[in-house]
Amino acid sequence: MISSSRLKISFFQFLSFYLIIQFTLISSNFFEPFNVTYDHRALIIDGRRRILNSAGIHYPRATPEMWPDLIAKSKEGGADVVQTYVFWGGHEPVKGQYYFEGRYDLVKFVKLVGESGLYLHLRIGPYVCAEWNFGGFPVWLRDVPGVVFRTDNAPFKEEMQKFVTKIVDLMREEMLLSWQGGPIIMFQIENEYGNIEHSFGQGGKEYMKWAAGMALALDAGVPWVMCKQTDAPENIIDACNGYYCDGFKPNSPKKPIFWTEDWDGWYTTWGGRLPHRPVEDLAFAVARFFQRGGSFQNYYMYFGGTNFGRTSGGPFYITSYDYDAPIDEYGLLSEPKWGHLKDLHAAIKLCEPALVAADSAQYIKLGPKQEAHVYGGSLSIQGMNFSQYGSQSKCSAFLANIDERQAATVRFLGQSFTLPPWSVSILPDCRNTVFNTAKVAAQTHIKTVEFVLPLSNSSLLPQFIVQNEDSPQSTSWLIAKEPITLWSEENFTVKGILEHLNVTKDESDYLWYFTRIYVSDDDIAFWEKNKVSPAVSIDSMRDVLRVFINGQLTGSVVGHWVKAVQPVQFQKGYNELVLLSQTVGLQNYGAFLERDGAGFKGQIKLTGFKNGDIDLSNLSWTYQVGLKGEFLKVYSTGDNEKFEWSELAVDATPSTFTWYKTFFDAPSGVDPVALDLGSMGKGQAWVNGHHIGRYWTVVSPKDGCGSCDYRGAYSSGKCRTNCGNPTQTWYHVPRAWLEASNNLLVVFEETGGNPFEISVKLRSAKVICAQVSESHYPPLRKWSRADLTGGNISRNDMTPEMHLKCQDGHIMSSIEFASYGTPNGSCQKFSRGNCHASNSSSVVTEACQGKNKCDIAISNAVFGDPCRGVIKTLAVEARCISSSNIGYSRY
């Protein structure tokens, strides 16, 4: 029997425990709980329509240590939302075994977004594409009996529903949904399914309906979207992906206009040129989207990051996923893209009260290719005089010139406005232009990678030393050969050719096929008499084939499902024929991914023998997965002396299928670290056991990189750069993966390279430039909605300004060029024009030198008037240096 006093104590203990739990839950909220709905115009957050800009960041493409800075820079750049995919293959690498740690700590990432005060759009998919290995699917999924991906297929739907439910439940358990005080305002189910739905016929239609219904049945309490899905059901928002979405209309008048992927750059393949999308065009596309009724826009990508390990998709996507994004692969700002978009976002934010107050815009044709969209509530614009706008009215206008070549002067509400070609001017009060998409005032960064200064010796190995460019490099490397033989206890022998992924399960890029070929005297005589050579012939292969005869590499074929013919040379008697099949990222886009596979397809034979071709599929083959070095984990920081390592001679001949290792100390400072592998061929690299990715020094074509004109529609083939150079030579090594000293670097080289020329470098923006004229607009930070509606802007407030800023931890050490007047040229190529204020350099030096950032008014009051009646421009080039190097000469 329990006494009443004990009952009272138990009750109060329970009450105290309950209150503690509730307080903990409440205190962990990032917002006061709020509901999210939508109407035909916009998302409705906590009862208010919102105009939202979103920053695409994929959490596994950066380290957790980088996440806070990336989120902060997104917020500073004007983002309201962070958007990310969820990567199924990373979270469930083995069926039923989940992983949410390290770069895959999704909960931590979402909480960091919430702590910053930003919202989150979580795209569960779980197919993501994203140039990610296998489109984000776990490779084990293709082995589920009877599975067919992304159609009305019970085995697939069962696994998909398990994972989607797992993620939604996890977010709910962690109190991360908006109605719980969390940052998640929206989910996405599937991804660009409309592109391939027709491939599945009626099964595709049924699957789409099922996926939508399954998502809604999870009762997450926030809206769901589908992108590129014109037949999305009534309760799912269909959204646009593309370079331009200003003409997009959802499939129901009850749904708002969303742009889930604004492609601000593009991805890159090995041997390809680098993409570049001019910020003037990107800003034009975004302004046009909001001008024509859009309300949610996401940059794909705002930060691209790195395809660490073997996560890059295929075929042949490079390790860098920089994407020409506003924040580069290393976490540094890409200027002027980041700064110009920040100004754009500020201008749009000034328009938000008018944009959300109006159900639609009022359209005015201003010229043959010029138009205005006016958001002014119920006010009628046609025939209205400017004076009819009262100080309390909400009115915002977008004036567009879609002419690709000519500027135009238009009349709007009694005023004249000059619009550059292919541009949009934004007037938050229908009177004052605060921003034009083609007029860039943001600074430009010139990023460099610099050799690290000499490092101290390692206690484990002679130090991997990288000295300055004028000094000889000194290093000590160890070398070990990867055996081209059978070494694994798990190898097996069967008759016939097996499909690559069925054997490897994508646990390695490499699959070895071993067999023996007998060559008779008659065969050799036949080859000599007819002057022919035997050859390995494969109807279709991907991605890399290497052919070895008696342990020697005979040749290689590279391609994606291409025919392979590789001549070979045999000796009399028995010869060992080894075929090495390699993947370079699994296919990440298209229907029937489960059928794509890897390795070889069709007939595989030896041609040129006296008695005819030899069908190799009738022979017995011994299969071996991976590299011995992979199996022994020779890249790990533990005991990796299981290989027979020896010291590499400086004059050693580059060799194929070779492991190299050395040690190095971390560079001082905080600048991002890059590994320069330009001296190597093809392979993979690890630092302290962390797989930094595949490398491949393939040179892009010399042509196709002409001048870049922002005007006119953009495509991935426009404005390309880096022609005639290797696609990628620098590989990001996150600071979080480095110790102060004795960092282990292991490289596996397939084709032959020189490790003595590998170097550690620091990436930073050492040079910053800007050009701002008297015709530019005042900085957006000087405007406020109250000023606009109240008419409180003074003439002094209308002065344009130049804003210069080195990256964090750096200061301006010198002003390399400054001219107020009519300067010529561009960054690093500036020159004085006919008009020049003699005090230009002294004014800028006094304002900026020794500082991290500075502002300079573009005004005769500051510089004097060197040429009356001429619009003056200030051009500046400054050099930045790490503040930790002050007092240390690097020249």
Side-chain angles (χ1 to χ4, degrees), residues 438-442 771-778 798-801 858 871 873:
K439 300 183 72 169
V440 179
Q771 272 182 296
V772 182
S773 76
E774 292 178 296
S775 66
H776 276 82
Y777 308 111
M798 301 300 287
T799 304
E801 287 184 5
I858 312 302
I871 294 178
T873 295

mmCIF file of all heavy atoms in Angstrom, residues 438-442 771-778 798-801 858 871 873:
data_model
loop_
_atom_site.group_PDB
_atom_site.id
_atom_site.type_symbol
_atom_site.label_atom_id
_atom_site.label_comp_id
_atom_site.label_asym_id
_atom_site.label_seq_id
_atom_site.Cartn_x
_atom_site.Cartn_y
_atom_site.Cartn_z
ATOM 1 N N ALA A 438 21.537 45.802 -64.185
ATOM 2 C CA ALA A 438 22.726 45.875 -65.036
ATOM 3 C C ALA A 438 23.785 46.822 -64.499
ATOM 4 O O ALA A 438 24.883 46.897 -65.059
ATOM 5 C CB ALA A 438 22.334 46.291 -66.454
ATOM 6 N N LYS A 439 23.497 47.561 -63.444
ATOM 7 C CA LYS A 439 24.445 48.539 -62.900
ATOM 8 C C LYS A 439 25.049 47.961 -61.618
ATOM 9 O O LYS A 439 24.430 48.017 -60.543
ATOM 10 C CB LYS A 439 23.766 49.878 -62.653
ATOM 11 C CG LYS A 439 23.165 50.495 -63.924
ATOM 12 C CD LYS A 439 22.556 51.863 -63.677
ATOM 13 C CE LYS A 439 23.615 52.905 -63.458
ATOM 14 N NZ LYS A 439 23.069 54.289 -63.466
ATOM 15 N N VAL A 440 26.246 47.426 -61.734
ATOM 16 C CA VAL A 440 26.886 46.717 -60.626
ATOM 17 C C VAL A 440 27.803 47.663 -59.863
ATOM 18 O O VAL A 440 28.777 48.181 -60.417
ATOM 19 C CB VAL A 440 27.693 45.508 -61.133
ATOM 20 C CG1 VAL A 440 28.370 44.790 -59.967
ATOM 21 C CG2 VAL A 440 26.779 44.553 -61.901
ATOM 22 N N ALA A 441 27.483 47.898 -58.604
ATOM 23 C CA ALA A 441 28.337 48.711 -57.738
ATOM 24 C C ALA A 441 29.166 47.849 -56.796
ATOM 25 O O ALA A 441 30.109 48.336 -56.180
ATOM 26 C CB ALA A 441 27.493 49.685 -56.927
ATOM 27 N N ALA A 442 28.817 46.576 -56.692
ATOM 28 C CA ALA A 442 29.534 45.687 -55.776
ATOM 29 C C ALA A 442 30.970 45.491 -56.241
ATOM 30 O O ALA A 442 31.273 45.537 -57.434
ATOM 31 C CB ALA A 442 28.822 44.334 -55.692
ATOM 32 N N GLN A 771 34.253 49.788 -59.240
ATOM 33 C CA GLN A 771 34.026 50.948 -60.094
ATOM 34 C C GLN A 771 32.624 51.457 -59.823
ATOM 35 O O GLN A 771 31.656 50.731 -60.040
ATOM 36 C CB GLN A 771 34.129 50.575 -61.579
ATOM 37 C CG GLN A 771 35.507 50.645 -62.177
ATOM 38 C CD GLN A 771 35.480 50.313 -63.658
ATOM 39 O OE1 GLN A 771 35.150 49.205 -64.055
ATOM 40 N NE2 GLN A 771 35.823 51.287 -64.485
ATOM 41 N N VAL A 772 32.523 52.677 -59.327
ATOM 42 C CA VAL A 772 31.214 53.263 -59.041
ATOM 43 C C VAL A 772 31.212 54.689 -59.580
ATOM 44 O O VAL A 772 32.173 55.449 -59.364
ATOM 45 C CB VAL A 772 30.911 53.264 -57.521
ATOM 46 C CG1 VAL A 772 29.522 53.843 -57.258
ATOM 47 C CG2 VAL A 772 31.030 51.853 -56.948
ATOM 48 N N SER A 773 30.133 55.035 -60.270
ATOM 49 C CA SER A 773 30.054 56.373 -60.869
ATOM 50 C C SER A 773 28.999 57.220 -60.174
ATOM 51 O O SER A 773 28.216 56.726 -59.349
ATOM 52 C CB SER A 773 29.716 56.260 -62.359
ATOM 53 O OG SER A 773 28.346 55.964 -62.535
ATOM 54 N N GLU A 774 28.994 58.496 -60.543
ATOM 55 C CA GLU A 774 27.983 59.417 -60.008
ATOM 56 C C GLU A 774 26.573 59.013 -60.423
ATOM 57 O O GLU A 774 25.593 59.421 -59.791
ATOM 58 C CB GLU A 774 28.270 60.834 -60.503
ATOM 59 C CG GLU A 774 29.539 61.453 -59.938
ATOM 60 C CD GLU A 774 29.778 62.834 -60.509
ATOM 61 O OE1 GLU A 774 29.985 62.935 -61.742
ATOM 62 O OE2 GLU A 774 29.747 63.811 -59.728
ATOM 63 N N SER A 775 26.467 58.218 -61.490
ATOM 64 C CA SER A 775 25.144 57.814 -61.970
ATOM 65 C C SER A 775 24.603 56.586 -61.240
ATOM 66 O O SER A 775 23.471 56.175 -61.489
ATOM 67 C CB SER A 775 25.195 57.525 -63.470
ATOM 68 O OG SER A 775 26.007 56.402 -63.737
ATOM 69 N N HIS A 776 25.420 55.977 -60.385
ATOM 70 C CA HIS A 776 24.921 54.853 -59.602
ATOM 71 C C HIS A 776 23.952 55.366 -58.524
ATOM 72 O O HIS A 776 23.874 56.564 -58.249
ATOM 73 C CB HIS A 776 26.069 54.095 -58.947
ATOM 74 C CG HIS A 776 26.699 53.079 -59.839
ATOM 75 N ND1 HIS A 776 27.644 53.400 -60.779
ATOM 76 C CD2 HIS A 776 26.527 51.733 -59.938
ATOM 77 C CE1 HIS A 776 28.032 52.314 -61.423
ATOM 78 N NE2 HIS A 776 27.365 51.291 -60.935
ATOM 79 N N TYR A 777 23.251 54.432 -57.928
ATOM 80 C CA TYR A 777 22.264 54.775 -56.908
ATOM 81 C C TYR A 777 22.925 54.756 -55.538
ATOM 82 O O TYR A 777 23.949 54.107 -55.333
ATOM 83 C CB TYR A 777 21.097 53.789 -56.965
ATOM 84 C CG TYR A 777 20.539 53.659 -58.359
ATOM 85 C CD1 TYR A 777 20.690 52.483 -59.084
ATOM 86 C CD2 TYR A 777 19.892 54.740 -58.974
ATOM 87 C CE1 TYR A 777 20.203 52.377 -60.377
ATOM 88 C CE2 TYR A 777 19.419 54.641 -60.268
ATOM 89 C CZ TYR A 777 19.574 53.461 -60.966
ATOM 90 O OH TYR A 777 19.111 53.363 -62.246
ATOM 91 N N PRO A 778 22.349 55.437 -54.581
ATOM 92 C CA PRO A 778 22.901 55.390 -53.220
ATOM 93 C C PRO A 778 22.809 53.977 -52.668
ATOM 94 O O PRO A 778 22.000 53.168 -53.141
ATOM 95 C CB PRO A 778 22.007 56.365 -52.441
ATOM 96 C CG PRO A 778 20.763 56.474 -53.244
ATOM 97 C CD PRO A 778 21.157 56.300 -54.669
ATOM 98 N N MET A 798 21.419 60.881 -51.367
ATOM 99 C CA MET A 798 21.391 60.301 -52.701
ATOM 100 C C MET A 798 22.787 60.105 -53.287
ATOM 101 O O MET A 798 22.945 59.688 -54.427
ATOM 102 C CB MET A 798 20.572 61.181 -53.649
ATOM 103 C CG MET A 798 19.124 61.385 -53.221
ATOM 104 S SD MET A 798 18.210 59.827 -53.099
ATOM 105 C CE MET A 798 18.022 59.451 -54.845
ATOM 106 N N THR A 799 23.829 60.385 -52.530
ATOM 107 C CA THR A 799 25.197 60.240 -53.020
ATOM 108 C C THR A 799 25.569 58.760 -53.117
ATOM 109 O O THR A 799 25.465 58.028 -52.127
ATOM 110 C CB THR A 799 26.187 60.943 -52.083
ATOM 111 O OG1 THR A 799 25.817 62.309 -51.949
ATOM 112 C CG2 THR A 799 27.610 60.833 -52.611
ATOM 113 N N PRO A 800 26.035 58.312 -54.296
ATOM 114 C CA PRO A 800 26.507 56.925 -54.397
ATOM 115 C C PRO A 800 27.744 56.716 -53.535
ATOM 116 O O PRO A 800 28.466 57.669 -53.205
ATOM 117 C CB PRO A 800 26.830 56.769 -55.883
ATOM 118 C CG PRO A 800 26.151 57.904 -56.566
ATOM 119 C CD PRO A 800 26.092 59.020 -55.576
ATOM 120 N N GLU A 801 28.003 55.490 -53.186
ATOM 121 C CA GLU A 801 29.172 55.151 -52.391
ATOM 122 C C GLU A 801 29.844 53.912 -52.948
ATOM 123 O O GLU A 801 29.199 53.045 -53.520
ATOM 124 C CB GLU A 801 28.792 54.887 -50.929
ATOM 125 C CG GLU A 801 28.428 56.120 -50.127
ATOM 126 C CD GLU A 801 28.157 55.782 -48.670
ATOM 127 O OE1 GLU A 801 28.345 54.599 -48.290
ATOM 128 O OE2 GLU A 801 27.766 56.682 -47.910
ATOM 129 N N ILE A 858 31.069 58.923 -53.652
ATOM 130 C CA ILE A 858 31.406 59.271 -55.043
ATOM 131 C C ILE A 858 30.884 60.677 -55.275
ATOM 132 O O ILE A 858 29.747 60.902 -55.701
ATOM 133 C CB ILE A 858 30.774 58.279 -56.034
ATOM 134 C CG1 ILE A 858 31.031 56.837 -55.586
ATOM 135 C CG2 ILE A 858 31.303 58.531 -57.443
ATOM 136 C CD1 ILE A 858 32.487 56.477 -55.433
ATOM 137 N N ILE A 871 30.246 63.061 -66.161
ATOM 138 C CA ILE A 871 29.921 62.113 -65.088
ATOM 139 C C ILE A 871 31.196 61.400 -64.676
ATOM 140 O O ILE A 871 31.872 60.776 -65.492
ATOM 141 C CB ILE A 871 28.856 61.108 -65.552
ATOM 142 C CG1 ILE A 871 27.528 61.820 -65.820
ATOM 143 C CG2 ILE A 871 28.663 60.011 -64.499
ATOM 144 C CD1 ILE A 871 26.442 60.903 -66.338
ATOM 145 N N THR A 873 33.650 58.769 -62.434
ATOM 146 C CA THR A 873 33.670 57.410 -61.897
ATOM 147 C C THR A 873 34.893 57.256 -61.008
ATOM 148 O O THR A 873 35.962 57.791 -61.314
ATOM 149 C CB THR A 873 33.722 56.373 -63.033
ATOM 150 O OG1 THR A 873 32.533 56.441 -63.803
ATOM 151 C CG2 THR A 873 33.887 54.951 -62.489
#
